Amino acid sequence: MKVISDADVRATLLAGAAVRVSRDALVDAYRGTLKAPPRTGIDVGSTELVFTVGGNASGTVGFRCYGLWPGHADQLVAVWDNKGSLRGVVVGTALGALRTGALGGAAVDALAKHDASVCAVIGSGTQSWAQLWAACSVRTFSEVRVSSPTPANRAKFAARARDELGLNAIDLADSVEAVRDADVVLVATKSARPVLPATAFAPGCHVNTIGPKLRGASELPPELASVAAIVASDSPAQAAAYGNPFFTGRKLAHLGGIIDGDLPGRISEGQITLFCSTGLAGTDVLLADHVMNELDLAG
Amino acid sequence: MKVISDADVRATLLAGAAVRVSRDALVDAYRGTLKAPPRTGIDVGSTELVFTVGGNASGTVGFRCYGLWPGHADQLVAVWDNKGSLRGVVVGTALGALRTGALGGAAVDALAKHDASVCAVIGSGTQSWAQLWAACSVRTFSEVRVSSPTPANRAKFAARARDELGLNAIDLADSVEAVRDADVVLVATKSARPVLPATAFAPGCHVNTIGPKLRGASELPPELASVAAIVASDSPAQAAAYGNPFFTGRKLAHLGGIIDGDLPGRISEGQITLFCSTGLAGTDVLLADHVMNELDLAG
């Protein structure tokens, strides 16, 4: 029984592999061979425990559990094999964010222009980092621009992108300037009000929205969803299970169906495409399983 | 972060302490300070994952998760402290059975005659063992009689009771003979048909039923519930959440309310009392927390 820490996850989970695992999970979810029901929250008095559960056709099953404590509380991912043996647990917070990043990477891979070269990142937190980490494994960016309100945070993010990911990264105070002519825009803020006008986005760009995206409380403007040729989600079922409808106000296409070739993807250079991240349940389990496989191989 | 095995649980969890933890949990559940909602089962395709969740007033929260694989699959219990740090996990199957035993022990303590001296055990499996393990920590039995269909199993059980618990234990083929004049009867079979007639039970006896107890599919006869002065459960709410009503056909008294002195308990030597075990959610978490405390003290 393996116990895997945040440090183990960071050392073992490569972005390209994480995106591949997520892409397979998306296709399996679309085809119905990955069972990933919407999350279940259970009140335990002092907090709420939330479970996201999933299992695939090979019989690998498990869940992620996190509590709604303030701050960075430990999350737990558990994976059983098809015989009911517990393979291991992952404890911490790294896997959850990297999982969301990997799903975002799968969206960029499926929907962004193949020759996308300029990437804008709005927000400089953990989720923004995970998005960029995954996105730069599926596209070759000649320029990365990060914008967030606090100068020290965006400068640190840009420096980390240069150091750890080898990217040509700069930071900008003006978010409109950051997304100007960008091919890929990764938005991961906590803002319940649009951080950019719809007119800021260039024709042909692909946008991931990770932060608030409910009607009346969204980090992106509804007008962007209106002009987008494709609005996709990693789990339309989970999106529908939210208490409130999404800001997009339209049917969400299943990203797994697009990857599978069953649903239309980008068909022209000028289309704007939008990915609304919900965090497909079960991907945590499959990524944890992948990390366990890698650790097995490493001995 | 502790990882606790079945061997650790068996070495660390003493029956008396387990009963005390369960008794406190029962009272807290009755008073509403232990949040322990009915179990949640989630379909993951190849199996179902079942979660029993709980949290107490001090902010300790967690869950037990088990899958419905055939055979003895690994269960997982996780405990967080009131700050959201994961204290540890318990992996295996020992804690689940000992937890049910400890709740049964709390029932014997609350409802059996104080001078109960003869104990009958019907069934010789893991659950029967856990019931006896806990019951003999709250009453001094001069004689223990075990009965189950397979001679080797009941002989082995009796020998183990002599060796590990120091009891004067015998095994009997005839279950009616085993319960004759018994003060405490612990029934833990897989039988969906009554394994004993109601007339087999002596006036004044206390009975725990652990196995099947639904209407039309119960290890004990409905007539026993009719003649019992008290029919209690560790969680009437969980019992009500079962798909089918219990064989008892009457309102179940909350064992925690009896222990708390708020609901009537045994008032005469001749009353028959019956405890229907449902497995109060949250007790796994509190017992795991207790084991972690003990391991902390042991350094």
Side-chain angles (χ1 to χ4, degrees), chain A residues 119 121 129 132-133 135-137 139-144 157-170:
Chain A
C119 178
V121 184
W129 178 260
L132 181 60
W133 167 82
C136 72
S137 79
R139 289 295 183 276
T140 304
F141 297 127
S142 60
E143 186 178 343
V144 172
F157 187 99
R160 188 179 172 198
R162 291 189 294 269
D163 293 346
E164 292 186 29
L165 301 174
L167 295 167
N168 172 30
I170 58 168

Side-chain angles (χ1 to χ4, degrees), chain A residues 68-141:
Chain A
L68 302 185
W69 291 278
H72 282 271
D74 289 329
Q75 303 192 353
L76 175 67
V77 178
V79 182
W80 280 263
D81 69 17
N82 62 5
K83 304 264 194 321
S85 289
L86 188 64
R87 288 201 74 187
V89 294
V90 182
V91 178
T93 57
L95 189 66
L98 295 181
R99 186 274 312 241
T100 310
L103 287 163
V108 169
D109 191 39
L111 291 170
K113 289 179 288 184
H114 289 291
D115 61 353
S117 64
V118 176
C119 178
V121 184
I122 308 302
S124 55
T126 306
Q127 296 290 347
S128 292
W129 178 260
Q131 292 294 316
L132 181 60
W133 167 82
C136 72
S137 79
V138 298
R139 289 295 183 276
T140 304
F141 297 127

Side-chain angles (χ1 to χ4, degrees), chain A residues 19 27 68 72 88 94 116 152 167 176 189 195 200-201 230 234-235 239 254 277 279:
Chain A
V19 171
V27 171
L68 302 185
H72 282 271
L167 295 167
V176 170
T189 74
V195 295
F201 297 85
I230 293 170
D234 46 343
S235 179
H254 197 304
S277 177

Side-chain angles (χ1 to χ4, degrees), chain B residues 115-191:
Chain B
D115 60 354
S117 65
V118 176
C119 178
V121 184
I122 309 301
S124 55
T126 307
Q127 295 290 348
S128 292
W129 178 261
Q131 292 294 315
L132 181 61
W133 167 81
C136 72
S137 80
V138 298
R139 289 296 184 273
T140 305
F141 298 128
S142 60
E143 187 179 342
V144 172
R145 309 167 191 152
V146 60
S147 183
S148 72
T150 306
N153 292 349
R154 62 181 189 251
K156 191 173 165 192
F157 188 99
R160 187 178 174 197
R162 291 190 293 270
D163 294 348
E164 292 187 28
L165 301 174
L167 295 167
N168 173 30
I170 58 169
D171 71 285
L172 294 168
D174 184 347
S175 59
V176 171
E177 192 183 339
V179 305
R180 184 171 296 146
D181 298 325
D183 304 301
V184 171
V185 184
L186 308 171
V187 189
T189 75
K190 290 177 177 167
S191 176

Side-chain angles (χ1 to χ4, degrees), chain A residues 3 44 53 69 73-74 80 84 86, chain B residues 3 44 53 69 73-74 80 84 86:
Chain A
V3 178
V44 286
V53 174
W69 291 278
D74 289 329
W80 280 263
L86 188 64
Chain B
V3 178
V44 285
V53 174
W69 292 278
D74 289 330
W80 280 263
L86 187 65

Side-chain angles (χ1 to χ4, degrees), chain A residues 1 3 35-38 40 42-47 49 51 53-63 65-67 69-70 72-76 78 80-87 89 91, chain B residues 1 3 35-38 40 42-47 49 51 53-63 65-67 69-70 72-76 78 80-87 89 91:
Chain A
M1 218 283 297
V3 178
K35 297 280 180 188
T40 300
I42 302 178
D43 176 22
V44 286
S46 58
T47 185
L49 290 182
F51 297 89
V53 174
N56 69 9
S58 71
T60 297
V61 305
F63 63 86
C65 176
Y66 57 95
W69 291 278
H72 282 271
D74 289 329
Q75 303 192 353
L76 175 67
W80 280 263
D81 69 17
N82 62 5
K83 304 264 194 321
S85 289
L86 188 64
R87 288 201 74 187
V89 294
V91 178
Chain B
M1 217 282 296
V3 178
K35 297 280 180 188
T40 300
I42 302 177
D43 175 23
V44 285
S46 58
T47 186
L49 290 182
F51 297 89
V53 174
N56 69 8
S58 71
T60 297
V61 306
F63 64 85
C65 176
Y66 57 95
W69 292 278
H72 281 271
D74 289 330
Q75 303 191 353
L76 175 67
W80 280 263
D81 68 16
N82 62 5
K83 304 262 194 321
S85 289
L86 187 65
R87 286 201 74 187
V89 294
V91 179

